[in-house]
Amino acid sequence: MKRFIMALFITVLVVGIFLGSCGEPEETTTAPTTAPTSAPTSAPTSAPTSAPTSAPTSAPTSAPTVTPQYGGVLRMITPMDPTVLGYPAESAGRATYYQYAILERMIIYAPDVWQNQNYQGILATSYTFENDMKTWTFQLREGVKFHDGTDWNASAAKWNFELRKEAGNSTTFNSMESCNILGPHTVQINFSSPANTFEVELATGIYFISPTSFENAGTTQEERIDWARGHPVGTGPFKFVEAILGDHVTYERFDDYWAGKPYLEGVEFIIVPDATTSKNMMIAGEADAYIYSEFKETLELEAMDGFYARYCKHHTPEGIWPAALEPDSHMYDKKVREAIEYAIDREAIIAAISLGSPEVEIMYQAPIPGDPAYRPDFGRHYDLNKAKQLMREAGLENGFETTIYVRSITGRWADMALFVQAMLAEIKITVNIEMINPGQYMTYLLFGWPADTLFISGIPNEPISNFVAARDYACSPAGVPKWNYSTVQTPEMCALWNELKAATSPEATRAAYVALSHQAMDDAVGIYMMDWPDTAVFADYVKDCDWIAYSTKVWNANTTWMAPH
């Protein structure tokens, strides 16, 4: 377990602003299988004053043919190891899905979040903000217990918030001035500056752990944190059993779960990086679900009897990012970044790697259609002559040599890199391809990759656009982690980012977001390539499982069940 904990710590350091999305079903709403093509035309004028008081329930993907029944361990194949399991201040990246069934958040996305930007209450039943979004008050759900029997109440919430502030790695919590208990189940937080992304952070990455188990885990804070990384103790429908890096992670049912006894006896994540092996295990009946499945294998399994697939779109734009922070680097020059983009034929690449599936869409900008910052006519479409002209204007008509870094477990990115290598050769840029392991990928992603090189990554999208912009275009001091760390930070972008962070109303936040997004696209911050859907395959006896039904940040594990098979 010590080896497991140290591996997790090395891989991930940051949370708060590094999150991803495709939310949580309500009782009578059917969750869409894909994101809507249009986003809300106006931002909410105030925070929701109340959240549902009923237990979260899954929107069924099809009408069940039999009554939900108890029993069985859901076996889920996944290509990724967990990062940090039980110390939320260090949770980051996509693998936080390991926490969904064991730790809980105050609020989560509601099924209509893409249309109306609504939230659903879990550990909080209502909340308000005031004082230019600097004061937030929460009414907490009563009758909730942690897995160790500790009560969930205002004291537990205050302890968790102060633990997050102590970690020092969240811009939002660094500005927390006080956290006050107003009643047994009422807590208020005061920030020194407007916390206009706090709702999204609560809904996507702020999990709560038991103060009792944490405090009893060691004699020093370092010992307690070290223990918590591998021992999650939350309020979710399942309790942690064990985690063996590279093999499996298992949970057992929490019979005292506040929303009622879960149907499943347990959940087992089976870690299998190889897609072919994963597909064959599904066919052989050795697993019940394959989450974050590779695209080719997803299509193949979906075509077979006994399986259904899910595609969660508009949630993981993927692209190529120039390291452009250093003023003396070639890629610091906007003309060079634009030349690289004009030299890349997106349509040819995506036609080749998407296997002809309509689920994959070409992108030329970060905002999706319907987003307030979306510009229908914007985009640097393939134009080799213009690319060559820009290279001449930059004084680089003879080109230069660079490297493109590719995560080793993502086959389509390796294919993309080969295409890019050939296309950039047309403007005399020699590209070397270097495969990196997932740990190195996370380090490069959050702390930077070498100057004057290229980096392929996916960008977790959120239905709350201003949060994405605040995260992706952050102008943080050197050494402070951020998503796609090495991308350019122009003075114009930084000024608009500061305006966004200082906005004191939803309307001002929206306007600042649009301006910042446009500036980032105009400054060629990166090459947005494609909207690649997150995918999962289920055996047809898996029922009422809302995994990525409308968000990659939600799984109501308590409502999932399995029919006889």
Side-chain angles (χ1 to χ4, degrees), residues 348-370:
I349 294 175
I350 294 165
I353 67 176
S354 68
L355 306 176
S357 172
E359 301 291 348
V360 181
E361 298 177 4
I362 299 172
M363 297 186 71
Y364 289 93
Q365 57 185 300
I368 63 175

Side-chain angles (χ1 to χ4, degrees), residues 273-345:
D274 182 74
T276 301
T277 302
S278 299
K279 183 187 78 171
N280 290 336
M281 289 175 65
M282 289 293 289
I283 294 171
E286 296 171 2
D288 312 303
Y290 177 16
I291 59 175
Y292 293 110
S293 48
E294 282 295 326
F295 204 69
K296 174 176 175 290
E297 285 69 23
T298 301
L299 294 173
E300 291 171 347
L301 286 167
E302 185 181 28
M304 301 178 187
D305 291 337
F307 301 104
Y308 65 93
R310 187 170 290 151
Y311 303 86
C312 190
K313 298 174 69 174
H314 299 321
H315 304 282
T316 312
E318 298 181 351
I320 304 164
W321 317 101
L325 282 179
E326 302 298 328
D328 59 350
S329 65
H330 296 313
M331 294 183 192
Y332 186 79
D333 188 339
K334 178 182 173 181
K335 287 185 172 69
V336 176
R337 299 194 302 274
E338 289 182 311
I340 292 172
E341 186 167 4
Y342 278 117
I344 293 175
D345 187 345

Side-chain angles (χ1 to χ4, degrees), residues 226-245:
D226 192 43
W227 178 87
R229 290 183 182 116
H231 296 84
V233 182
T235 59
F238 293 89
K239 299 186 295 184
F240 175 75
V241 177
E242 70 172 357
I244 305 298
L245 200 65

Side-chain angles (χ1 to χ4, degrees), residues 93-419:
R94 173 166 290 169
T96 53
Y97 61 75
Y98 279 97
Q99 297 174 314
Y100 295 170
I102 48 176
L103 306 183
E104 291 188 303
R105 292 156 276 180
M106 279 192 171
I107 59 175
I108 55 176
Y109 290 146
D112 65 344
V113 66
W114 286 94
Q115 300 95 327
N116 302 313
Q117 299 190 337
N118 284 333
Y119 298 85
Q120 177 178 350
I122 300 298
L123 293 180
T125 57
S126 66
Y127 59 103
T128 59
F129 61 75
E130 56 189 329
N131 187 26
D132 292 338
M133 304 183 82
K134 291 186 287 189
T135 299
W136 294 71
T137 305
F138 297 88
Q139 185 64 40
L140 306 180
R141 187 177 298 280
E142 299 182 28
V144 178
K145 289 188 177 295
F146 289 95
H147 299 153
D148 62 1
T150 300
D151 289 330
W152 162 252
N153 52 29
S155 295
K158 174 181 169 68
W159 180 90
N160 272 270
F161 285 134
E162 291 177 343
L163 185 68
R164 294 298 298 273
K165 179 177 176 62
E166 178 187 303
N169 58 8
S170 163
T171 301
T172 299
F173 279 100
N174 286 349
S175 70
M176 186 178 84
E177 291 185 328
S178 65
C179 182
N180 304 315
I181 296 174
L182 304 185
H185 291 89
T186 308
V187 64
Q188 185 178 85
I189 305 177
N190 296 290
F191 297 98
S192 60
S193 57
N196 54 34
T197 63
F198 193 40
E199 272 180 302
V200 187
E201 294 175 61
L202 286 168
T204 58
I206 298 178
Y207 298 88
F208 294 84
I209 62 173
S210 168
T212 305
S213 289
F214 183 93
E215 295 294 348
N216 290 338
T219 57
T220 67
Q221 191 72 341
E222 182 179 352
E223 289 176 350
R224 291 188 281 267
I225 292 172
D226 192 43
W227 178 87
R229 290 183 182 116
H231 296 84
V233 182
T235 59
F238 293 89
K239 299 186 295 184
F240 175 75
V241 177
E242 70 172 357
I244 305 298
L245 200 65
D247 192 80
H248 69 273
V249 178
T250 55
Y251 308 145
E252 64 183 5
R253 180 167 56 206
F254 180 37
D255 289 336
D256 294 326
Y257 182 53
W258 61 268
K261 180 180 175 180
Y263 292 111
L264 299 170
E265 293 177 4
V267 175
E268 179 182 17
F269 290 96
I270 307 170
I271 301 162
V272 184
D274 182 74
T276 301
T277 302
S278 299
K279 183 187 78 171
N280 290 336
M281 289 175 65
M282 289 293 289
I283 294 171
E286 296 171 2
D288 312 303
Y290 177 16
I291 59 175
Y292 293 110
S293 48
E294 282 295 326
F295 204 69
K296 174 176 175 290
E297 285 69 23
T298 301
L299 294 173
E300 291 171 347
L301 286 167
E302 185 181 28
M304 301 178 187
D305 291 337
F307 301 104
Y308 65 93
R310 187 170 290 151
Y311 303 86
C312 190
K313 298 174 69 174
H314 299 321
H315 304 282
T316 312
E318 298 181 351
I320 304 164
W321 317 101
L325 282 179
E326 302 298 328
D328 59 350
S329 65
H330 296 313
M331 294 183 192
Y332 186 79
D333 188 339
K334 178 182 173 181
K335 287 185 172 69
V336 176
R337 299 194 302 274
E338 289 182 311
I340 292 172
E341 186 167 4
Y342 278 117
I344 293 175
D345 187 345
R346 288 172 172 85
E347 293 188 10
I349 294 175
I350 294 165
I353 67 176
S354 68
L355 306 176
S357 172
E359 301 291 348
V360 181
E361 298 177 4
I362 299 172
M363 297 186 71
Y364 289 93
Q365 57 185 300
I368 63 175
D371 185 280
Y374 179 75
R375 292 179 284 180
D377 299 326
F378 180 86
R380 299 178 184 89
H381 294 250
Y382 176 62
D383 188 333
L384 187 56
N385 290 331
K386 189 163 188 174
K388 291 178 178 178
Q389 176 188 336
L390 286 164
M391 289 293 283
R392 288 194 297 271
E393 292 176 4
L396 291 169
E397 60 269 19
N398 294 321
F400 58 92
E401 185 173 354
T402 188
T403 298
I404 187 167
Y405 295 98
V406 184
R407 186 172 62 183
S408 58
I409 64 171
T410 310
R412 65 181 175 276
W413 292 357
D415 294 337
M416 187 195 305
L418 288 169
F419 279 102

